[in-house]
Amino acid sequence: MENIKSYVQQHKDRFIDELIELLKIPSVSADTAYSQDVIDTSEAVKVSLEKAGCDFVEICDTPGYPIVYGEKIIDKSLPTILVYGHYDVQPPDPMELWTSPPFEPVIKKTDIHPEGAIFARGSCDDKGQMYMHVKALEYMVQSNTLPCNVKFMIEGEEEIGSKSLSWFVERNQEKLKNDVILISDTGMISNQQPSITTGLRGLSYVEVEVTGPNRDLHSGLYGGAVANPINVLAKMIASLHDENNHITIPGFYDNVEELSLEERAEMAKAPFNLENYKKALDLNDVYGEKGYVTNERNSIRPTLDVNGIWGGYTGEGAKTVIASKAFAKISMRLVPNQDWEEITELFTKYFISLAPAGVTVKVKPHHGGQGYVTPIDSIGYKAANMAYTETFGVPAIPVRSGGSIPIVALFEKELKSKTILMGFGLDSDAIHSPNEHFGIFNYLKGIETIPLFYKYFVELSK
Ligand code: BES
Ligand code: MN
Ligand code: MN
Protein backbone atom coordinates (compact mmCIF):
# COMPACT_ATOMS: atom_id res chain seq x y z
CA MET A 1 0.00 0.00 0.00
CA GLU A 2 1.26 3.39 -1.05
CA ASN A 3 1.62 5.92 1.72
CA ILE A 4 0.04 9.36 1.63
CA LYS A 5 3.31 11.25 1.19
CA SER A 6 4.23 9.41 -1.98
CA TYR A 7 0.64 9.55 -3.24
CA VAL A 8 0.67 13.34 -2.90
CA GLN A 9 4.08 13.60 -4.59
CA GLN A 10 2.87 11.47 -7.46
CA HIS A 11 -0.42 13.30 -8.00
CA LYS A 12 0.34 16.85 -6.88
CA ASP A 13 0.26 18.42 -10.35
CA ARG A 14 -3.21 17.04 -10.96
CA PHE A 15 -4.34 18.12 -7.45
CA ILE A 16 -3.23 21.67 -8.25
CA ASP A 17 -4.81 21.65 -11.71
CA GLU A 18 -8.14 20.45 -10.36
CA LEU A 19 -8.20 23.16 -7.72
CA ILE A 20 -7.34 25.77 -10.33
CA GLU A 21 -10.34 24.68 -12.42
CA LEU A 22 -12.62 25.07 -9.39
CA LEU A 23 -11.18 28.52 -8.64
CA LYS A 24 -11.99 29.73 -12.15
CA ILE A 25 -15.72 29.70 -11.40
CA PRO A 26 -16.61 33.02 -9.70
CA SER A 27 -18.94 31.72 -6.98
CA VAL A 28 -19.58 35.06 -5.27
CA SER A 29 -22.62 34.49 -3.06
CA ALA A 30 -23.12 38.14 -2.09
CA ASP A 31 -23.75 39.35 -5.63
CA THR A 32 -26.72 37.97 -7.62
CA ALA A 33 -24.91 38.74 -10.87
CA TYR A 34 -22.89 35.58 -10.12
CA SER A 35 -25.80 33.32 -9.16
CA GLN A 36 -25.39 30.93 -12.12
CA ASP A 37 -21.69 30.60 -11.27
CA VAL A 38 -22.51 29.72 -7.68
CA ILE A 39 -24.86 27.00 -8.91
CA ASP A 40 -22.27 25.75 -11.43
CA THR A 41 -19.74 25.48 -8.61
CA SER A 42 -22.07 23.24 -6.59
CA GLU A 43 -22.27 20.97 -9.64
CA ALA A 44 -18.45 20.89 -9.91
CA VAL A 45 -18.14 20.02 -6.22
CA LYS A 46 -20.66 17.20 -6.66
CA VAL A 47 -18.67 15.70 -9.55
CA SER A 48 -15.42 15.95 -7.56
CA LEU A 49 -16.94 14.05 -4.63
CA GLU A 50 -18.21 11.32 -6.94
CA LYS A 51 -14.80 10.99 -8.58
CA ALA A 52 -13.05 10.90 -5.19
CA GLY A 53 -15.09 7.86 -4.22
CA CYS A 54 -18.24 8.88 -2.35
CA ASP A 55 -20.89 6.27 -3.01
CA PHE A 56 -23.76 8.72 -2.78
CA VAL A 57 -23.72 12.41 -3.70
CA GLU A 58 -26.64 14.79 -4.15
CA ILE A 59 -27.32 18.46 -4.64
CA CYS A 60 -29.83 19.51 -2.01
CA ASP A 61 -32.03 22.43 -2.92
CA THR A 62 -32.66 25.02 -0.24
CA PRO A 63 -34.44 28.38 -0.16
CA GLY A 64 -31.05 29.82 -1.22
CA TYR A 65 -28.00 28.24 -2.83
CA PRO A 66 -27.72 24.44 -2.95
CA ILE A 67 -25.85 22.32 -0.44
CA VAL A 68 -23.73 19.48 -1.77
CA TYR A 69 -24.09 16.36 0.35
CA GLY A 70 -21.98 13.26 -0.14
CA GLU A 71 -21.17 10.16 1.85
CA LYS A 72 -19.23 6.96 1.98
CA ILE A 73 -20.57 4.61 4.59
CA ILE A 74 -18.36 1.57 5.00
CA ASP A 75 -19.67 0.11 8.26
CA LYS A 76 -22.47 1.53 10.39
CA SER A 77 -20.75 0.39 13.57
CA LEU A 78 -17.69 2.56 12.87
CA PRO A 79 -17.44 6.31 13.71
CA THR A 80 -18.65 8.90 11.22
CA ILE A 81 -16.77 12.09 10.39
CA LEU A 82 -18.80 14.97 8.94
CA VAL A 83 -16.71 17.31 6.79
CA TYR A 84 -18.06 20.83 6.35
CA GLY A 85 -16.78 23.48 3.96
CA HIS A 86 -18.02 26.22 1.68
CA TYR A 87 -17.75 26.67 -2.07
CA ASP A 88 -18.87 30.30 -2.14
CA VAL A 89 -16.35 33.13 -2.03
CA GLN A 90 -16.19 36.79 -1.07
CA PRO A 91 -16.65 39.48 -3.72
CA PRO A 92 -13.29 40.20 -5.38
CA ASP A 93 -13.39 44.00 -5.23
CA PRO A 94 -11.45 46.29 -5.27
CA MET A 95 -10.47 44.73 -8.60
CA GLU A 96 -7.74 47.25 -9.43
CA LEU A 97 -5.63 46.08 -6.48
CA TRP A 98 -5.26 42.52 -7.76
CA THR A 99 -1.91 41.81 -9.41
CA SER A 100 -3.58 39.08 -11.49
CA PRO A 101 -7.33 38.63 -12.13
CA PRO A 102 -9.16 37.02 -9.15
CA PHE A 103 -10.73 34.23 -11.22
CA GLU A 104 -7.70 33.44 -13.39
CA PRO A 105 -5.59 31.49 -10.89
CA VAL A 106 -1.82 31.70 -11.20
CA ILE A 107 1.02 30.32 -9.10
CA LYS A 108 3.46 32.90 -7.79
CA LYS A 109 6.29 32.69 -5.26
CA THR A 110 6.23 34.89 -2.15
CA ASP A 111 8.63 35.35 0.79
CA ILE A 112 6.39 33.23 2.97
CA HIS A 113 5.59 30.73 0.21
CA PRO A 114 8.92 30.07 -1.57
CA GLU A 115 7.38 26.96 -3.16
CA GLY A 116 4.64 29.06 -4.68
CA ALA A 117 1.06 29.94 -3.84
CA ILE A 118 -2.12 29.88 -5.91
CA PHE A 119 -3.46 33.42 -6.27
CA ALA A 120 -7.25 33.53 -6.73
CA ARG A 121 -10.36 34.53 -4.83
CA GLY A 122 -11.35 31.53 -2.71
CA SER A 123 -7.97 29.80 -2.97
CA CYS A 124 -7.63 29.72 0.82
CA ASP A 125 -11.19 30.68 1.90
CA ASP A 126 -12.45 28.09 1.36
CA LYS A 127 -12.28 26.25 -1.96
CA GLY A 128 -8.62 25.27 -1.51
CA GLN A 129 -9.07 24.13 2.06
CA MET A 130 -12.33 22.34 1.28
CA TYR A 131 -10.75 20.57 -1.70
CA MET A 132 -7.95 19.16 0.49
CA HIS A 133 -10.66 17.00 2.06
CA VAL A 134 -11.86 15.77 -1.32
CA LYS A 135 -8.31 14.76 -2.28
CA ALA A 136 -7.69 13.18 1.14
CA LEU A 137 -10.78 11.04 0.55
CA GLU A 138 -9.50 10.11 -2.90
CA TYR A 139 -6.28 8.85 -1.34
CA MET A 140 -8.03 6.85 1.38
CA VAL A 141 -10.38 5.22 -1.13
CA GLN A 142 -7.60 4.47 -3.64
CA SER A 143 -5.33 3.01 -0.97
CA ASN A 144 -8.13 1.19 0.83
CA THR A 145 -7.31 2.97 4.08
CA LEU A 146 -10.55 4.81 4.82
CA PRO A 147 -10.96 3.76 8.46
CA CYS A 148 -14.53 4.99 9.10
CA ASN A 149 -17.62 6.53 7.54
CA VAL A 150 -17.50 9.99 6.07
CA LYS A 151 -20.15 12.55 5.17
CA PHE A 152 -19.57 15.82 3.30
CA MET A 153 -21.72 18.92 3.57
CA ILE A 154 -20.44 21.76 1.39
CA GLU A 155 -22.52 24.93 1.32
CA GLY A 156 -22.71 28.01 -0.88
CA GLU A 157 -23.79 30.75 1.52
CA GLU A 158 -21.13 30.84 4.23
CA GLU A 159 -19.91 34.29 3.27
CA ILE A 160 -23.44 35.69 3.57
CA GLY A 161 -24.48 34.15 6.87
CA SER A 162 -25.34 30.47 6.14
CA LYS A 163 -29.11 31.03 6.31
CA SER A 164 -29.99 28.03 4.15
CA LEU A 165 -27.56 25.80 6.01
CA SER A 166 -29.39 26.41 9.30
CA TRP A 167 -32.62 25.55 7.51
CA PHE A 168 -31.00 22.36 6.12
CA VAL A 169 -29.41 21.24 9.39
CA GLU A 170 -32.67 21.63 11.31
CA ARG A 171 -34.44 19.41 8.76
CA ASN A 172 -31.78 16.72 8.32
CA GLN A 173 -30.58 15.75 11.75
CA GLU A 174 -30.68 12.00 11.07
CA LYS A 175 -28.89 12.27 7.73
CA LEU A 176 -26.15 14.44 9.24
CA LYS A 177 -25.61 12.27 12.34
CA ASN A 178 -21.90 12.07 13.12
CA ASP A 179 -19.28 11.60 15.82
CA VAL A 180 -17.21 14.63 15.00
CA ILE A 181 -17.33 17.55 12.57
CA LEU A 182 -14.12 18.39 10.73
CA ILE A 183 -13.60 21.81 9.15
CA SER A 184 -10.65 23.40 7.36
CA ASP A 185 -11.72 27.03 7.09
CA THR A 186 -9.34 28.69 9.57
CA GLY A 187 -5.61 29.36 9.76
CA MET A 188 -2.49 28.26 11.56
CA ILE A 189 0.41 30.19 13.08
CA SER A 190 3.03 29.51 10.41
CA ASN A 191 4.28 26.78 8.10
CA GLN A 192 6.75 25.78 10.83
CA GLN A 193 4.26 25.97 13.70
CA PRO A 194 0.83 24.40 13.20
CA SER A 195 -2.04 25.38 15.46
CA ILE A 196 -5.57 24.18 16.06
CA THR A 197 -8.33 26.74 16.38
CA THR A 198 -10.12 26.22 19.68
CA GLY A 199 -12.35 29.27 19.57
CA LEU A 200 -14.23 31.44 17.11
CA ARG A 201 -15.86 34.77 17.77
CA GLY A 202 -19.56 35.36 17.35
CA LEU A 203 -20.90 38.11 15.15
CA SER A 204 -23.63 40.71 14.98
CA TYR A 205 -23.80 42.63 11.72
CA VAL A 206 -26.02 45.68 11.32
CA GLU A 207 -26.58 48.52 8.89
CA VAL A 208 -27.51 52.00 10.11
CA GLU A 209 -29.18 54.85 8.31
CA VAL A 210 -29.30 58.47 9.51
CA THR A 211 -31.78 60.78 7.80
CA GLY A 212 -31.79 64.57 8.10
CA PRO A 213 -33.61 66.83 5.61
CA ASN A 214 -35.91 65.26 3.03
CA ARG A 215 -33.56 66.18 0.15
CA ASP A 216 -29.91 67.05 -0.44
CA LEU A 217 -29.36 70.73 0.36
CA HIS A 218 -26.99 73.54 -0.66
CA SER A 219 -24.36 73.48 2.09
CA GLY A 220 -24.08 77.26 2.08
CA LEU A 221 -27.77 78.09 2.17
CA TYR A 222 -28.60 75.48 4.81
CA GLY A 223 -25.22 74.64 6.40
CA GLY A 224 -25.18 75.34 10.13
CA ALA A 225 -28.97 75.51 10.35
CA VAL A 226 -29.91 71.83 9.96
CA ALA A 227 -28.35 68.60 11.16
CA ASN A 228 -25.90 67.15 8.63
CA PRO A 229 -26.53 63.36 8.68
CA ILE A 230 -22.89 62.60 7.85
CA ASN A 231 -21.54 64.80 10.65
CA VAL A 232 -24.07 63.26 13.02
CA LEU A 233 -23.32 59.68 11.96
CA ALA A 234 -19.58 60.25 12.40
CA LYS A 235 -20.17 61.59 15.92
CA MET A 236 -22.51 58.74 16.84
CA ILE A 237 -19.99 56.17 15.62
CA ALA A 238 -17.17 57.92 17.47
CA SER A 239 -19.10 57.73 20.73
CA LEU A 240 -19.39 53.93 20.50
CA HIS A 241 -15.86 53.69 21.97
CA ASP A 242 -14.46 55.55 24.97
CA GLU A 243 -10.92 56.89 25.41
CA ASN A 244 -9.68 53.42 26.39
CA ASN A 245 -11.28 51.85 23.33
CA HIS A 246 -13.90 50.14 25.42
CA ILE A 247 -17.27 49.80 23.74
CA THR A 248 -19.80 52.12 25.39
CA ILE A 249 -23.02 50.22 24.69
CA PRO A 250 -24.64 49.63 28.11
CA GLY A 251 -24.65 45.92 28.99
CA PHE A 252 -22.30 45.01 26.11
CA TYR A 253 -19.72 43.37 28.38
CA ASP A 254 -22.18 41.78 30.84
CA ASN A 255 -21.63 38.18 29.72
CA VAL A 256 -18.05 38.49 28.55
CA GLU A 257 -15.91 35.87 30.20
CA GLU A 258 -12.72 37.28 31.74
CA LEU A 259 -9.86 34.87 31.29
CA SER A 260 -7.71 34.12 34.31
CA LEU A 261 -4.13 35.39 34.43
CA GLU A 262 -2.98 31.77 34.01
CA GLU A 263 -5.03 31.39 30.84
CA ARG A 264 -3.70 34.67 29.49
CA ALA A 265 -0.13 33.62 30.31
CA GLU A 266 -0.77 30.38 28.42
CA MET A 267 -2.00 32.36 25.41
CA ALA A 268 1.08 34.56 25.48
CA LYS A 269 3.25 31.49 24.85
CA ALA A 270 2.09 31.24 21.24
CA PRO A 271 4.81 32.64 18.99
CA PHE A 272 4.03 36.23 18.00
CA ASN A 273 6.28 39.06 16.95
CA LEU A 274 4.76 42.53 17.25
CA GLU A 275 7.44 44.15 15.09
CA ASN A 276 6.82 41.73 12.23
CA TYR A 277 3.09 42.15 12.65
CA LYS A 278 3.39 45.92 12.27
CA LYS A 279 5.82 45.58 9.40
CA ALA A 280 3.55 43.22 7.47
CA LEU A 281 0.76 45.81 7.64
CA ASP A 282 2.92 48.94 7.24
CA LEU A 283 1.79 50.27 10.61
CA ASN A 284 3.75 52.52 12.95
CA ASP A 285 1.77 51.15 15.90
CA VAL A 286 -1.06 48.83 16.85
CA TYR A 287 -4.31 50.11 18.31
CA GLY A 288 -6.99 48.62 20.53
CA GLU A 289 -8.62 48.10 23.89
CA LYS A 290 -6.54 49.26 26.84
CA GLY A 291 -5.34 46.49 29.14
CA TYR A 292 -5.04 43.82 26.46
CA VAL A 293 -2.30 42.80 24.04
CA THR A 294 -2.77 42.30 20.30
CA ASN A 295 -3.38 38.54 20.48
CA GLU A 296 -6.05 39.11 23.14
CA ARG A 297 -7.67 42.03 21.35
CA ASN A 298 -8.23 39.92 18.26
CA SER A 299 -9.49 36.75 19.91
CA ILE A 300 -10.81 36.79 23.48
CA ARG A 301 -12.18 40.36 23.44
CA PRO A 302 -15.32 41.61 21.69
CA THR A 303 -15.01 44.43 19.18
CA LEU A 304 -17.06 46.91 17.16
CA ASP A 305 -15.95 48.00 13.69
CA VAL A 306 -17.36 50.06 10.88
CA ASN A 307 -17.01 48.01 7.69
CA GLY A 308 -18.27 50.65 5.30
CA ILE A 309 -19.59 54.20 5.47
CA TRP A 310 -21.17 56.29 2.76
CA GLY A 311 -23.30 59.29 1.92
CA GLY A 312 -23.04 62.61 0.18
CA TYR A 313 -20.75 63.47 -2.70
CA THR A 314 -17.73 61.25 -3.31
CA GLY A 315 -17.19 61.85 -7.02
CA GLU A 316 -14.43 63.87 -8.66
CA GLY A 317 -13.92 67.48 -7.65
CA ALA A 318 -16.03 69.28 -5.06
CA LYS A 319 -19.77 69.60 -4.70
CA THR A 320 -21.19 71.77 -1.93
CA VAL A 321 -23.97 69.68 -0.51
CA ILE A 322 -25.54 68.46 2.71
CA ALA A 323 -26.76 64.93 2.07
CA SER A 324 -30.22 63.85 3.11
CA LYS A 325 -28.91 60.49 4.35
CA ALA A 326 -25.79 58.79 5.68
CA PHE A 327 -25.17 55.07 6.11
CA ALA A 328 -22.77 52.65 7.73
CA LYS A 329 -22.30 48.90 8.02
CA ILE A 330 -21.13 47.85 11.45
CA SER A 331 -19.93 44.49 12.74
CA MET A 332 -19.49 43.42 16.31
CA ARG A 333 -17.27 40.41 16.98
CA LEU A 334 -18.47 38.63 20.08
CA VAL A 335 -16.97 36.16 22.50
CA PRO A 336 -18.62 33.01 23.83
CA ASN A 337 -21.60 33.68 26.20
CA GLN A 338 -22.48 36.94 24.46
CA ASP A 339 -25.76 36.24 22.70
CA TRP A 340 -25.71 37.83 19.25
CA GLU A 341 -29.43 38.61 19.17
CA GLU A 342 -29.28 40.26 22.57
CA ILE A 343 -26.23 42.29 21.51
CA THR A 344 -28.03 43.37 18.34
CA GLU A 345 -30.89 44.66 20.50
CA LEU A 346 -28.55 46.46 22.91
CA PHE A 347 -26.80 48.09 19.99
CA THR A 348 -30.06 49.17 18.35
CA LYS A 349 -31.45 50.73 21.50
CA TYR A 350 -28.26 52.56 22.32
CA PHE A 351 -27.54 53.74 18.80
CA ILE A 352 -31.01 55.22 18.43
CA SER A 353 -30.62 56.92 21.82
CA LEU A 354 -27.46 58.68 20.55
CA ALA A 355 -29.35 60.50 17.79
CA PRO A 356 -29.76 64.23 18.37
CA ALA A 357 -33.03 66.02 17.54
CA GLY A 358 -33.07 66.86 13.87
CA VAL A 359 -32.34 63.38 12.49
CA THR A 360 -34.06 60.01 12.45
CA VAL A 361 -32.13 56.76 12.75
CA LYS A 362 -32.86 53.28 11.49
CA VAL A 363 -30.96 50.14 12.40
CA LYS A 364 -31.30 47.09 10.17
CA PRO A 365 -29.88 43.83 11.54
CA HIS A 366 -28.19 41.71 8.85
CA HIS A 367 -27.01 38.43 10.26
CA GLY A 368 -25.07 37.02 13.13
CA GLY A 369 -24.12 33.97 15.09
CA GLN A 370 -22.75 32.74 18.38
CA GLY A 371 -19.09 32.29 19.23
CA TYR A 372 -17.54 28.95 20.03
CA VAL A 373 -14.89 27.41 22.27
CA THR A 374 -13.83 23.81 22.35
CA PRO A 375 -11.79 21.91 24.94
CA ILE A 376 -8.38 20.45 24.16
CA ASP A 377 -8.94 17.15 25.95
CA SER A 378 -11.46 15.72 23.47
CA ILE A 379 -10.65 12.75 21.24
CA GLY A 380 -11.06 14.99 18.20
CA TYR A 381 -8.54 17.55 19.43
CA LYS A 382 -6.05 14.84 20.39
CA ALA A 383 -6.40 13.13 17.01
CA ALA A 384 -5.86 16.44 15.20
CA ASN A 385 -2.80 17.19 17.30
CA MET A 386 -1.34 13.73 16.60
CA ALA A 387 -1.91 14.25 12.89
CA TYR A 388 -0.20 17.66 12.83
CA THR A 389 2.65 16.40 14.99
CA GLU A 390 3.33 13.64 12.50
CA THR A 391 3.30 15.80 9.35
CA PHE A 392 4.93 18.98 10.75
CA GLY A 393 7.29 17.36 13.25
CA VAL A 394 6.06 19.58 16.11
CA PRO A 395 2.84 19.53 18.14
CA ALA A 396 0.11 22.02 17.32
CA ILE A 397 -0.67 24.95 19.62
CA PRO A 398 -4.29 25.70 20.58
CA VAL A 399 -5.32 29.18 19.45
CA ARG A 400 -8.56 31.13 19.74
CA SER A 401 -9.25 32.88 16.46
CA GLY A 402 -10.86 36.24 15.89
CA GLY A 403 -12.85 35.10 12.86
CA SER A 404 -16.36 33.68 12.85
CA ILE A 405 -17.98 30.57 11.46
CA PRO A 406 -21.40 30.99 13.05
CA ILE A 407 -22.61 27.61 11.91
CA VAL A 408 -20.21 25.84 14.28
CA ALA A 409 -22.26 26.79 17.36
CA LEU A 410 -25.39 25.71 15.57
CA PHE A 411 -23.85 22.30 14.77
CA GLU A 412 -23.24 21.77 18.46
CA LYS A 413 -26.80 22.78 19.34
CA GLU A 414 -28.59 20.85 16.59
CA LEU A 415 -26.31 17.88 15.95
CA LYS A 416 -24.83 17.65 19.46
CA SER A 417 -21.34 17.20 18.11
CA LYS A 418 -18.05 18.93 18.54
CA THR A 419 -16.20 20.59 15.71
CA ILE A 420 -12.46 20.30 15.11
CA LEU A 421 -11.03 23.25 13.21
CA MET A 422 -7.99 22.01 11.30
CA GLY A 423 -6.98 25.06 9.30
CA PHE A 424 -3.98 25.28 6.97
CA GLY A 425 -4.18 28.92 5.84
CA LEU A 426 -1.95 31.75 7.08
CA ASP A 427 -3.07 35.23 8.20
CA SER A 428 -0.88 36.62 5.43
CA ASP A 429 -2.85 34.70 2.77
CA ALA A 430 -5.07 37.79 2.39
CA ILE A 431 -8.49 36.15 2.65
CA HIS A 432 -11.31 38.63 1.86
CA SER A 433 -8.60 40.96 0.44
CA PRO A 434 -7.15 41.52 -3.01
CA ASN A 435 -4.50 38.92 -3.94
CA GLU A 436 -5.86 36.12 -1.78
CA HIS A 437 -3.59 33.10 -2.09
CA PHE A 438 -2.98 29.65 -0.67
CA GLY A 439 0.47 28.08 -0.38
CA ILE A 440 1.13 24.94 -2.40
CA PHE A 441 2.97 23.67 0.68
CA ASN A 442 -0.15 24.30 2.80
CA TYR A 443 -2.47 22.67 0.28
CA LEU A 444 -0.40 19.51 -0.01
CA LYS A 445 0.35 19.35 3.74
CA GLY A 446 -3.37 19.56 4.38
CA ILE A 447 -4.01 16.62 2.07
CA GLU A 448 -1.30 14.69 3.92
CA THR A 449 -2.52 15.54 7.40
CA ILE A 450 -6.26 14.87 7.01
CA PRO A 451 -6.05 11.06 6.54
CA LEU A 452 -3.99 10.90 9.75
CA PHE A 453 -6.79 12.67 11.60
CA TYR A 454 -9.17 9.94 10.40
CA LYS A 455 -6.75 7.23 11.49
CA TYR A 456 -6.13 8.62 14.98
CA PHE A 457 -9.74 9.61 15.55
CA VAL A 458 -10.86 6.04 14.88
CA GLU A 459 -8.05 4.60 17.01
CA LEU A 460 -8.85 6.87 19.95
CA SER A 461 -12.58 6.18 19.63
CA LYS A 462 -12.12 2.44 20.24
N1 BES B 1 -13.22 31.19 6.92
C1 BES B 1 -13.74 32.41 7.43
C2 BES B 1 -13.65 32.53 8.94
C3 BES B 1 -12.27 32.42 9.54
C4 BES B 1 -11.11 32.72 8.85
C5 BES B 1 -12.18 32.04 10.86
C6 BES B 1 -9.87 32.60 9.45
C7 BES B 1 -10.96 31.93 11.47
C8 BES B 1 -9.80 32.20 10.77
C9 BES B 1 -15.19 32.54 6.99
O1 BES B 1 -15.35 32.25 5.63
C10 BES B 1 -15.64 33.96 7.18
O2 BES B 1 -15.15 34.81 6.48
N2 BES B 1 -16.58 34.22 8.11
C11 BES B 1 -17.14 35.52 8.24
C12 BES B 1 -18.45 35.45 8.95
C13 BES B 1 -19.63 35.15 8.05
C14 BES B 1 -20.91 35.13 8.86
C15 BES B 1 -19.75 36.13 6.92
C16 BES B 1 -16.23 36.41 9.06
O3 BES B 1 -15.53 35.94 9.96
O4 BES B 1 -16.23 37.61 8.75
MN1 MN C 1 -14.38 30.54 5.08
MN1 MN D 1 -14.65 34.06 4.50
Side-chain angles (χ1 to χ4, degrees):
M1 186 189 63
E2 221 178 359
N3 75 31
I4 177 71
K5 252 195 159 67
S6 58
Y7 191 83
V8 169
Q9 278 315 310
Q10 205 181 326
H11 297 275
K12 64 179 182 200
D13 290 343
R14 177 172 57 84
F15 290 174
I16 293 167
D17 291 344
E18 287 176 14
L19 174 57
I20 284 178
E21 285 310 304
L22 194 63
L23 291 168
K24 284 183 184 167
I25 323 176
S27 50
V28 180
S29 50
D31 185 344
T32 51
Y34 295 97
S35 59
Q36 190 55 48
D37 298 300
V38 181
I39 291 165
D40 290 349
T41 308
S42 69
E43 211 37 72
V45 172
K46 173 175 184 257
V47 172
S48 74
L49 283 171
E50 284 165 348
K51 282 194 183 152
C54 278
D55 36 42
F56 172 71
V57 190
E58 64 178 337
I59 298 232
C60 305
D61 288 324
T62 73
Y65 286 123
I67 289 164
V68 187
Y69 175 82
E71 62 179 33
K72 185 162 183 71
I73 308 295
I74 56 170
D75 178 346
K76 287 226 157 73
S77 66
L78 288 169
T80 300
I81 296 174
L82 173 65
V83 175
Y84 161 84
H86 62 95
Y87 64 81
D88 65 322
V89 302
Q90 283 277 324
D93 60 271
M95 290 293 244
E96 65 279 10
L97 295 184
W98 285 79
T99 55
S100 55
F103 300 109
E104 293 171 29
V106 284
I107 297 174
K108 289 184 260 193
K109 291 191 166 74
T110 72
D111 289 349
I112 290 177
H113 297 293
E115 297 169 41
I118 306 178
F119 280 72
R121 172 57 86 230
S123 53
C124 178
D125 184 11
D126 178 44
K127 283 174 173 167
Q129 297 213 65
M130 176 272 288
Y131 207 68
M132 299 179 315
H133 289 268
V134 179
K135 293 299 98 179
L137 174 70
E138 175 192 308
Y139 162 73
M140 290 184 282
V141 171
Q142 290 301 319
S143 60
N144 244 314
T145 55
L146 180 67
C148 61
N149 307 309
V150 57
K151 297 175 177 175
F152 281 82
M153 174 170 60
I154 314 294
E155 70 150 320
E157 290 179 15
E158 197 278 341
E159 299 293 8
I160 51 170
S162 301
K163 273 214 176 71
S164 299
L165 189 73
S166 321
W167 177 92
F168 183 74
V169 169
E170 279 157 24
R171 280 164 186 75
N172 289 283
Q173 312 233 343
E174 195 49 43
K175 179 185 193 131
L176 299 173
K177 234 173 137 223
N178 65 79
D179 297 281
V180 72
I181 296 169
L182 183 60
I183 304 182
S184 296
D185 192 21
T186 52
M188 57 178 190
I189 294 175
S190 73
N191 284 356
Q192 291 72 43
Q193 180 54 68
S195 53
I196 300 172
T197 302
T198 52
L200 293 163
R201 286 195 286 192
L203 180 70
S204 162
Y205 201 108
V206 298
E207 187 169 323
V208 299
E209 177 188 305
V210 176
T211 307
N214 61 3
R215 60 182 170 87
D216 288 7
L217 301 175
H218 189 289
S219 65
L221 296 181
Y222 289 91
V226 298
N228 177 328
I230 301 176
N231 293 8
V232 168
L233 175 60
K235 202 164 169 181
M236 290 169 76
I237 288 171
S239 64
L240 293 171
H241 289 96
D242 68 13
E243 66 285 4
N244 293 322
N245 279 318
H246 281 97
I247 294 156
T248 53
I249 301 168
F252 186 83
Y253 291 98
D254 281 2
N255 296 321
V256 170
E257 171 200 29
E258 287 291 340
L259 265 64
S260 66
L261 288 175
E262 287 77 22
E263 286 171 300
R264 291 174 68 183
E266 198 53 44
M267 273 185 77
K269 286 186 191 157
F272 176 75
N273 182 310
L274 188 60
E275 284 317 306
N276 291 348
Y277 184 86
K278 290 195 282 193
K279 213 168 136 203
L281 301 175
D282 275 334
L283 292 171
N284 57 22
D285 208 351
V286 291
Y287 184 90
E289 187 181 2
K290 196 173 171 193
Y292 297 91
V293 298
T294 299
N295 276 347
E296 296 171 333
R297 289 171 176 168
N298 69 15
S299 65
I300 58 163
R301 299 300 295 167
T303 57
L304 184 153
D305 278 292
V306 178
N307 294 245
I309 181 164
W310 70 103
Y313 184 71
T314 57
E316 202 183 324
K319 178 186 179 192
T320 47
V321 68
I322 292 174
S324 164
K325 286 178 188 292
F327 305 84
K329 291 184 194 278
I330 296 175
S331 69
M332 287 162 277
R333 296 286 168 168
L334 310 175
V335 296
N337 299 337
Q338 280 183 298
D339 179 73
W340 79 270
E341 284 172 314
E342 199 180 312
I343 293 290
T344 306
E345 266 174 48
L346 291 177
F347 173 89
T348 306
K349 244 171 80 190
Y350 184 59
F351 198 72
I352 290 173
S353 80
L354 291 175
V359 299
T360 53
V361 173
K362 275 192 205 147
V363 177
K364 183 172 111 186
H366 270 281
H367 55 77
Q370 315 293 32
Y372 186 71
V373 266
T374 187
I376 61 169
D377 56 5
S378 68
I379 291 176
Y381 186 91
K382 285 182 189 154
N385 195 17
M386 287 162 80
Y388 277 109
T389 308
E390 194 162 323
T391 49
F392 285 83
V394 285
I397 294 177
V399 168
R400 276 171 66 168
S401 170
S404 308
I405 310 177
I407 207 69
V408 171
L410 187 106
F411 287 155
E412 178 151 291
K413 187 167 153 249
E414 296 284 338
L415 302 174
K416 311 271 178 290
S417 41
K418 289 274 173 216
T419 291
I420 301 300
L421 296 158
M422 281 180 85
F424 293 90
L426 301 179
D427 283 355
S428 55
D429 288 345
I431 63 170
H432 294 208
S433 297
N435 305 313
E436 174 177 353
H437 54 279
F438 189 36
I440 302 284
F441 169 89
N442 303 67
Y443 178 51
L444 300 178
K445 263 289 193 252
I447 300 171
E448 258 180 53
T449 309
I450 291 163
L452 293 168
F453 173 82
Y454 280 59
K455 176 179 153 200
Y456 292 125
F457 183 76
V458 173
E459 275 179 26
L460 293 174
S461 299
K462 276 179 192 152

